Amino acid sequence: MTEARETSSTGPFGKNGAGTALPHDRPVKEEPLKEVLRRLVDDGRAYADAEINRQKIRAAFIGSGLRTVVILGAVALILLFGTLVTLMIGLVFALAPYLTPLGATFAVSITALLIVAILLYAAKQRLRRLFPDKDRP
């Protein structure tokens, strides 16, 4: 009768009645603290390396975009300066024979100013792509 009580109290399948031991019934494989800390430090280093590489790529992308903006702006400023010089020289020449060189001076100046406007517009568009406005849809 003693055997019947043991079987009935624990069931036909053992302690938990399911035929398999629960995870808390199994022996836990203990890992030394030193090994756990070493793994933690290695994972931390790997994460830091990945984050550094990500930031380098991001900086290179922004740097190349800003370089293009600076180049376009510099060319626009050079053309603007050249236009002002051309306008001044053209005005000097225009005063000598009275109007014919002035027409040529205005044609060159207006053409250069149109190019400046196009370059500045292109620089503005590049800046908008690099730094999108969060308020715009």
Side-chain angles (χ1 to χ4, degrees):
M1 260 197 152
T2 313
E3 292 177 21
R5 285 184 198 163
E6 289 175 10
T7 306
S8 63
S9 66
T10 60
F13 299 109
K15 288 184 180 179
N16 61 12
T20 59
L22 292 175
H24 65 274
D25 292 340
R26 294 183 190 146
V28 178
K29 178 185 171 189
E30 292 193 23
E31 200 172 349
L33 182 60
K34 185 177 181 180
E35 182 65 27
V36 172
L37 290 176
R38 186 190 60 74
R39 261 196 1 250
L40 179 65
V41 168
D42 289 345
D43 289 347
R45 282 184 185 150
Y47 176 76
D49 289 343
E51 187 65 24
I52 288 169
N53 287 335
R54 179 181 165 275
Q55 292 301 331
K56 283 180 183 178
I57 291 170
R58 184 172 175 256
F61 173 73
I62 290 175
S64 68
L66 285 176
R67 182 189 56 162
T68 303
V69 169
V70 168
I71 289 171
L72 290 173
V75 169
L77 288 175
I78 290 168
L79 280 176
L80 180 62
F81 180 73
T83 301
L84 292 175
V85 170
T86 303
L87 182 62
M88 297 305 235
I89 293 172
L91 285 173
V92 171
F93 284 131
L95 291 176
Y98 294 120
L99 196 60
T100 313
L102 184 61
T105 301
F106 282 134
V108 170
S109 297
I110 288 172
T111 303
L113 287 174
L114 284 174
I115 293 171
V116 166
I118 291 169
L119 290 173
L120 288 176
Y121 179 76
K124 178 182 171 185
Q125 294 302 319
R126 294 265 182 166
L127 273 175
R128 281 192 177 169
R129 269 191 262 150
L130 282 176
F131 304 107
D133 190 15
K134 293 180 182 176
D135 296 335
R136 284 188 301 169

